[in-house]
């Protein structure tokens, strides 16, 4: 959004002179509001008939539409008397305006006008303008005693220094700092906040020096930070999930007013977001849980954004989110409203669950190849894979990692094999368990991280390393494709189920679309899933998916056999095939489970030959 300066005041106060000079300095187009009157008004004015408020309405509406377009284009300077508050409200209906109010006494303006016979206005007409004038309580008020040059200098100085910001960001860590730079890069003003304790004392000052633009202001106090924002305020938190979010929200809350929007961009647990959404609803403040994906680079250049909240709240923040988001293949922004309350954070959590399994699959590929190939060869092989459906951001970074050397050796060899996590993998698994969805890939990936963290025990129990794994590379590629399809299928089914349970009305194809760029799990396969989901046929009924899984089943079986033979842990590859075997088995041994449950607990079972639920006294021989 670009600035539109409206220079307002009674006739003869110098609007046109100051406006043209300002436009020239800022290299913006200059417009005179009188040039936008509809024909009926022009005819009335040419007959000397004064315009009524009713006459002015269509004219102000035309101007408001123009202002909206100028804002979307390069900005503008407009000279317009805008004497009444109701006129200004109509003008500012679509956007924020920077009001420059030129004021002076009746006598001074009258004297000036008398010196300029071409602008001569009767004493009565000028008096009536002063009578109608309602000076705004906002905007930059300038005394016309100063020369036009001085007035323009003052406008330039004030508009750079004391302008209110469009967005506020709390937390200048990895993500907050990068997002702030992204927003500034789109010409949008940002106020930033970071605490200033101990090691963090200079975080804000350093950011301001790094950004080096008058579009940003920095704060270490919440009150000044919040007051520096345009209303309705839009405040994005980029801080660690959990109690810290509640503490920061409570610290900000006293300075908010009705209609402000709080956006939690961190990886919060979706039930926390649902709770915060309800809490702020009662205060008249909009709360949006917005998943952000793309890591540091995505945040800086264009992330994928998964918003959750009301439509009204989303409309308020949409221009900023769309400006900073990545673009899909059609150039549309990778941001969407996924549903209300916790939907955005739920979708982000599942994104991370899919991410966990994608990462684990690549780790398993590496585990299978490492005994027989050097890092350069593995990287070369993965580069060959990195095309079309198999191309992905995670594959790309894995290739870079495999090639990274430190002092002649590979850095990867120096990294301790204990995988950490910050919560989202556990939350997505927990959600799958709570909703009864077999998202086995993400849970297997999570537990693989837990196993990795048991390093001392693993060292104690360690067996001989496999010297070689007999594996056909073309089979491994197909097995990897197979497992990735299962992973995505499970992830989308999990979201589908949650959306039904929580009435989120989530558009799954739209989720796949915003995941085609900007995020950590962007890939060629995601583009295929966007198409499958657009077809609106359940994924298990999609002939392309099912035939590809059938076709690749033998390869994953072969890979698993080879891996198991060499005692290589392959939890995610195994989970993919086991899920497929389960889903393609008509008669599972679950009848025995039901019988056991009924035997020890009288839990009842259903029969395939009779309706109703049944229980048996299993100790009597039937
Ligand atoms: N890193 C990533 O790839 C991604 C992270 N996320 C999520 O984004 C959020 C931010 O992550 P990230 O930027 O990586 O984290 P960082 O640790 O880099 O930054 C955290 C920020 O939160 C501030 N903070 C920490 N504790 C408090 C507190 N008690 N009160 C006020 N401010 C506090 C820190 O301030 P200070 O400088 O004073 O410590 C810092 O500005 C997290 O929820 C994370 O899960 C989401 C997507 C990707
Ligand atoms: O959200 C992210 C990426 O999408 C963050 O990088 C997140 O921290 C990754 O999860 P974890 O730290 O548990 O591996």
């Amino acid at each position: 959004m670009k600035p539109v300066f409206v220079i307002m005041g009674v006739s003869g106060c110098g609007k046109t002179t100051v406006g043209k000079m300002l436009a020239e300095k800022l290299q913006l187009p200059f417009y005179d509001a009188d040039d936008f009157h509809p024909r009926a008004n022009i005819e009335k004015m040419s007959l000397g008939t004064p315009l009524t408020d009713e006459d002015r309405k269509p004219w102000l509406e035309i101007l408001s539409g123009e202002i909206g377009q100028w804002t979307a284009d390069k900005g503008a300077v407009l000279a317009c008397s805008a004497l009444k508050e109701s006129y200004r409200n109509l003008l500012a209906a679509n956007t924020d305006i920077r009001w420059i109010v030129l004021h002076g006494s009746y006598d001074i303006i009258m004297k000036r006008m008398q010196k300029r016979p071409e602008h001569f206005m009767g004493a009565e007409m000028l008096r009536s303008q002063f009578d109608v004038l309602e000076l705004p309580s906002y905007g930059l008020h300038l005394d016309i005693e100063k020369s036009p040059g001085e007035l323009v200098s003052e406008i330039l100085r004030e508009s750079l220094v004391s302008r209110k910001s469009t967005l506020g960001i709390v937390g200048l860590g990895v993500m907050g700092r990068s997002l702030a730079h992204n927003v500034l890069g789109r010409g949008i003003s940002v106020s930033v906040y970071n605490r200033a304790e101990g090691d963090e004392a200079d975080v804000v000052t350093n950011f301001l020096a790094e950004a080096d633009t008058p579009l940003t202001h920095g704060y270490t106090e919440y009150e000044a930070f919040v007051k520096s924002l345009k209303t309705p305020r839009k405040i994005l938190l980029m801080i660690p999930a959990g109690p810290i979010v509640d503490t920061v929200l409570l610290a900000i809350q006293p300075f908010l007013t009705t209609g402000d929007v709080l956006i939690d961009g961190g990886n919060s647990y979706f039930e926390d977001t649902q709770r915060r959404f309800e809490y702020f609803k009662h205060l008249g403040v909009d709360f949006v849980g917005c998943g952000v994906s793309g890591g540091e680079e995505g945040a800086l250049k264009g992330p994928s954004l998964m918003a959750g909240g009301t439509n009204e709240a989303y409309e308020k923040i949409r221009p900023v989110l769309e400006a900073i988001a990545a673009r899909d293949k059609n150039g549309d922004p990778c941001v969407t409203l996924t549903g209300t309350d916790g939907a955005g954070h739920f979708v982000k959590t599942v994104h991370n669950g899919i991410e966990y399994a994608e990462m684990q699959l690549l780790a398993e590929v590496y585990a299978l190849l490492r005994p027989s190939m050097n890092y350069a060869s593995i990287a070369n092989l993965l580069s060959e894979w990195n095309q079309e459906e198999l191309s992905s951001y995670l594959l790309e970074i894995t290739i870079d990692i495999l090639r990274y050397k430190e002092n002649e050796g590979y850095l990867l060899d120096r990294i301790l094999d204990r995988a950490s996590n910050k919560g989202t993998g556990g939350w997505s698994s927990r959600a799958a368990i709570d909703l009864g969805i077999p998202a086995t890939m993400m849970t297997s990936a999570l537990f693989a991280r837990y196993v990795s963290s048991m390093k001392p025990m693993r060292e104690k129990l360690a067996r001989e390393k496999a010297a070689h794994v007999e594996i056909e590379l073309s089979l491994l590629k197909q097995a990897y494709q197979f497992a990735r399809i299962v992973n995505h299928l499970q992830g989308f089914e999990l979201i589908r189920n949650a959306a039904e349970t929580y009435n989120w009305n989530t558009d799954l194809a739209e989720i796949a679309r915003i995941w085609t760029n900007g995020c950590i799990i962007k890939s060629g396969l995601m583009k295929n899933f966007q198409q499958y989901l657009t077809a609106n046929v359940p994924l298990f009924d999609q002939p392309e998916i099912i035939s590809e899984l059938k076709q690749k089943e033998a390869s994953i079986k072969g890979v698993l056999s080879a891996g198991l033979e060499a005692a290589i842990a392959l939890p995610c590859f195994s989970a993919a095939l086991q899920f497929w075997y389960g889903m393609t088995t008509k008669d599972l041994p679950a009848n025995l489970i039901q019988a056991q449950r009924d035997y020890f607990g009288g839990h009842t079972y259903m029969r395939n030959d009779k309706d109703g639920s049944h229980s048996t006294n299993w100790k009597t021989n039937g």
Side-chain angles (χ1 to χ4, degrees), residues 501-615:
T501 304
Y502 297 107
N503 291 319
W504 284 333
N505 198 20
T506 308
D507 181 344
L508 291 186
E510 185 59 1
I511 303 294
R513 183 190 70 75
I514 65 163
W515 285 350
T516 58
N517 202 6
C519 67
I520 302 293
I521 58 170
K522 66 181 178 185
S523 71
L525 180 63
M526 193 63 78
K527 293 180 184 149
N528 292 357
F529 267 79
Q530 185 190 347
Q531 283 170 17
Y532 300 145
L533 291 158
T534 305
N536 212 14
V537 175
L539 291 173
F540 285 112
D541 286 336
Q542 292 273 353
E544 292 94 334
I545 296 183
I546 301 306
S547 76
E548 201 168 345
L549 290 175
K550 279 186 181 159
Q551 193 202 325
K552 295 190 164 66
E553 178 183 319
S555 57
I556 187 162
K557 194 173 151 197
V559 165
L560 274 171
S561 305
L564 295 178
E565 190 58 37
I568 292 178
L570 300 169
C572 260
F573 272 116
S574 307
L577 186 59
Q578 290 302 335
F579 175 79
W580 177 241
Y581 281 169
M583 288 303 294
T584 50
T585 301
K586 183 166 163 283
D587 296 316
L588 284 171
N591 52 346
L592 180 59
I593 307 283
Q594 284 297 78
Q596 289 164 337
R597 291 178 66 245
D598 189 56
Y599 189 113
F600 61 69
H603 294 296
T604 75
Y605 54 89
M606 292 204 301
R607 300 178 61 111
N608 54 25
D609 56 352
K610 284 186 215 165
D611 286 341
S613 69
H614 302 267
S615 190

Side-chain angles (χ1 to χ4, degrees), residues 171-175 194-195 200 238-240 244 266-267 292 295 348:
L172 289 175
V174 173
M175 295 298 282
N194 205 87
R195 58 185 180 168
E200 281 79 34
M238 289 311 297
I239 56 177
I244 292 177
N267 279 337
V292 177
K348 175 67 203 302

